[in-house]
């Protein structure tokens, strides 16, 4: 009887570990773009910004409301803290100053996705891609939203093919190619 309890305990521990690993994998893979607009080789959990960092940046913006660097940095802090609407507000102000910043526009789209405003996210990603024909991350995230949120397989395939043409490389390109292969193998 004791041996059976040990076996059950070991099996339960393995199951919990497996589930935690799957959850962590999903959690990390859902963070498509780092606030710099670049994919990171090894996903990491961004540090939650301190209240002091945020207050400092808010102070800078109070003194200089059009400080582009402070707007983007504060937007990125809010991005890391999953404060979607606050990040969008900062990115909107930054884009009013520099409307052609495809990294900021892509980060803003990711925040719209967090608010489940998928059509707005798609619009922003398409604009980022239009403004910068080599902007890989806008196309990559567009594919993710089209596939997972809009259920548009054809659109996702087109976005990821464009992403490869725009110059996706390394691990990101390998992931895209794998996804494309799987999507193209789906019954029509």
């Amino acid at each position: 009887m004791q041996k059976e309890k040990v076996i059950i305990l070991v099996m339960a521990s393995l199951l919990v570990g497996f589930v935690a690993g799957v959850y962590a994998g999903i959690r990390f893979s859902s963070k498509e773009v780092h606030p710099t607009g670049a994919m990171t080789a090894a996903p990491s959990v961004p540090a939650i910004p301190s209240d002091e960092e945020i207050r400092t940046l808010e102070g800078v913006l109070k003194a200089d409301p059009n400080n582009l660097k402070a707007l983007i940095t504060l937007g990125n802090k809010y991005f890391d803290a999953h404060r979607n609407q606050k990040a969008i507000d900062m990115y909107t102000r930054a884009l009013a100053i520099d409307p052609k910043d495809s990294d900021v526009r892509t980060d803003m789209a990711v925040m719209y996705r967090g608010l489940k405003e998928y059509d707005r996210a798609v619009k922003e990603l398409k604009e980022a891609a239009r403004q910068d024909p080599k902007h890989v991350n806008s196309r990559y995230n567009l594919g993710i939203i089209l596939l997972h949120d809009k259920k548009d397989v054809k659109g996702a395939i087109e976005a990821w093919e464009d992403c490869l043409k725009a110059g996706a490389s390394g691990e990101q390109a390998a992931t895209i190619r794998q996804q494309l292969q799987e999507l193209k193998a789906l019954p029509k």
Side-chain angles (χ1 to χ4, degrees):
M1 183 68 177
Q2 189 68 1
K3 186 176 180 182
E4 291 173 332
K5 286 183 181 179
V6 170
I7 291 172
I8 290 172
L9 182 60
V10 169
M11 294 301 290
S13 297
L14 289 172
L15 180 62
V16 168
F18 174 76
V19 169
V22 168
Y23 173 78
I26 291 169
R27 175 94 168 105
F28 289 134
S29 69
S30 69
K31 186 87 167 186
E32 297 84 22
V33 178
H34 186 272
T36 63
M39 288 282 299
T40 55
S44 62
V45 178
I48 302 295
S50 69
D51 290 339
E52 184 178 330
E53 289 175 301
I54 290 174
R55 276 194 303 273
T56 299
L57 288 164
E58 287 172 342
V60 169
L61 289 171
K62 190 171 187 172
D64 182 6
N66 293 321
N67 184 317
L68 184 60
K69 184 175 181 178
L71 286 167
I72 294 169
T73 302
L74 185 55
N76 292 344
K77 296 291 181 188
Y78 287 140
F79 183 111
D80 288 343
H82 305 288
R83 294 173 70 181
N84 299 359
Q85 189 58 57
K86 291 256 191 193
I88 290 168
D89 294 344
M90 294 302 108
Y91 293 147
T92 299
R93 288 175 58 189
L95 288 168
I97 297 166
D98 182 7
K100 294 190 185 269
D101 189 327
S102 291
D103 290 335
V104 169
R105 194 170 297 279
T106 297
D107 290 344
M108 185 167 71
V110 172
M111 294 291 91
Y112 276 121
R113 181 185 187 215
L115 295 175
K116 298 184 181 348
E117 293 185 34
Y118 306 124
D119 290 336
R120 183 65 190 266
V122 166
K123 177 183 176 224
E124 295 298 339
L125 291 168
K126 286 182 176 180
E127 179 62 16
R130 186 193 67 75
Q131 289 177 340
D132 183 353
K134 296 293 182 189
H135 198 262
V136 170
N137 287 315
S138 56
R139 290 161 173 83
Y140 179 74
N141 282 288
L142 179 59
I144 288 170
I145 292 170
L146 290 173
L147 179 64
H148 297 291
D149 303 316
K150 302 287 284 175
K151 309 302 182 210
D152 179 357
V153 173
K154 182 181 176 198
I157 289 171
E158 290 173 9
W160 284 336
E161 286 174 340
D162 285 347
C163 187
L164 291 171
K165 289 176 192 169
S169 61
E171 185 179 325
Q172 185 181 40
T175 300
I176 292 168
R177 285 186 186 96
Q178 177 66 36
Q179 278 287 314
L180 286 171
Q181 185 178 3
E182 291 172 13
L183 291 176
K184 289 176 179 180
L186 290 174
K188 301 210 179 201

